[in-house]
């Protein structure tokens, strides 16, 4: 699915409520975002990336850096790499979070290997390595969409929280 067909939230009331989120497993929720039943997060629109693939334990985002995302030297800011990797890795963990639970990033690490040329479409591939009752661990890569060139890698630890509905 391309960025043109995904719904992106433009106000807080367009995002799913906590109750709606808790009614589904993380995999079901992520599939709903991919298929447009839930709005995607505004950060994707702001930084020009979108959800492209979802399966259990694996999520792929696509995107392309714009001039607005450069640092004073004219190269893509490290925050763009970090945000893209945080999204793909944490969402990979989310695909293994059970119904009634939520997650958030505890920490992540980014290794930038080479600069991404502006307007170059990349794929950010997140793969969950472990998701338990309280933590999830994932790795990620940013690769060229056309040439599979490796631009950056990352790793994350997420906290998984069971939400009490009482």
């Amino acid at each position: 699915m391309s960025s043109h067909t995904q719904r992106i939230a433009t106000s807080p009331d367009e995002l799913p409520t906590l109750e709606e989120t808790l009614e589904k497993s993380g995999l079901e929720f992520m599939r709903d975002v991919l298929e447009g039943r839930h709005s995607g997060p505004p950060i994707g629109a702001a930084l020009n990336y979108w959800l492209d693939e979802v399966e259990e334990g694996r999520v792929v985002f696509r995107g392309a850096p714009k001039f607005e995302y450069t640092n004073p030297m004219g190269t893509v800011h490290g925050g763009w790499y970090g945000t893209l990797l945080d999204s793909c890795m944490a969402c990979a963990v989310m695909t293994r979070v059970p119904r009634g639970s939520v997650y958030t990033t505890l920490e992540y690490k980014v290794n930038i290997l080479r600069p991404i040329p502006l307007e170059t479409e990349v794929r950010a591939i997140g793969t969950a390595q472990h998701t338990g009752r309280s933590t999830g661990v994932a790795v990620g890569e940013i690769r060229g969409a056309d040439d599979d060139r490796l631009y950056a890698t990352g790793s994350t630890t997420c906290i998984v929280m069971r939400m009490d509905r009482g």
Side-chain angles (χ1 to χ4, degrees):
M1 177 173 277
S2 75
S3 63
H4 301 292
T5 57
Q6 284 183 14
R7 294 186 312 129
I8 300 296
T10 57
S11 68
D13 59 314
E14 293 180 53
L15 292 172
T17 65
L18 179 60
E19 291 75 24
E20 290 172 321
T21 302
L22 293 173
E23 289 173 357
K24 298 178 181 185
S25 70
L27 180 60
E28 291 167 329
F29 184 87
M30 290 301 302
R31 286 182 175 154
D32 282 352
V33 172
L34 180 66
E35 295 168 9
R37 288 188 291 272
H38 284 307
S39 294
I43 189 76
L47 293 179
N48 197 37
Y49 68 89
W50 58 92
L51 188 59
D52 190 56
E53 297 175 33
V54 173
E55 60 187 74
E56 186 177 346
R58 184 175 179 275
V59 170
V60 179
F61 283 87
R62 284 185 181 260
K66 296 179 178 183
F67 174 75
E68 295 84 1
Y69 315 146
T70 59
N71 58 33
M73 297 174 291
T75 59
V76 177
H77 190 280
W80 193 82
Y81 293 81
T83 302
L84 191 55
L85 283 166
D86 182 36
S87 292
C88 76
M89 295 183 299
C91 287
V93 168
M94 185 173 184
T95 66
R96 292 193 172 156
V97 171
R99 182 175 286 121
S101 294
V102 295
Y103 79 99
T104 193
T105 301
L106 270 174
E107 66 177 2
Y108 69 97
K109 182 179 185 329
V110 175
N111 297 304
I112 299 171
L113 306 174
R114 62 179 47 90
I116 301 171
L118 292 179
E119 305 298 333
T120 299
E121 188 170 304
V122 295
R123 292 170 24 250
I125 304 120
T127 306
Q129 296 179 310
H130 164 79
T131 305
R133 288 189 319 249
S134 60
T135 60
V137 176
V139 295
E141 296 181 336
I142 297 177
R143 293 188 167 272
D146 293 331
D147 61 6
D148 207 38
R149 186 170 196 185
L150 183 63
Y151 289 101
T153 62
S155 59
T156 193
T157 302
C158 296
I159 184 170
V160 176
M161 300 164 283
R162 177 82 185 152
M163 302 302 287
D164 183 8
R165 293 189 188 190

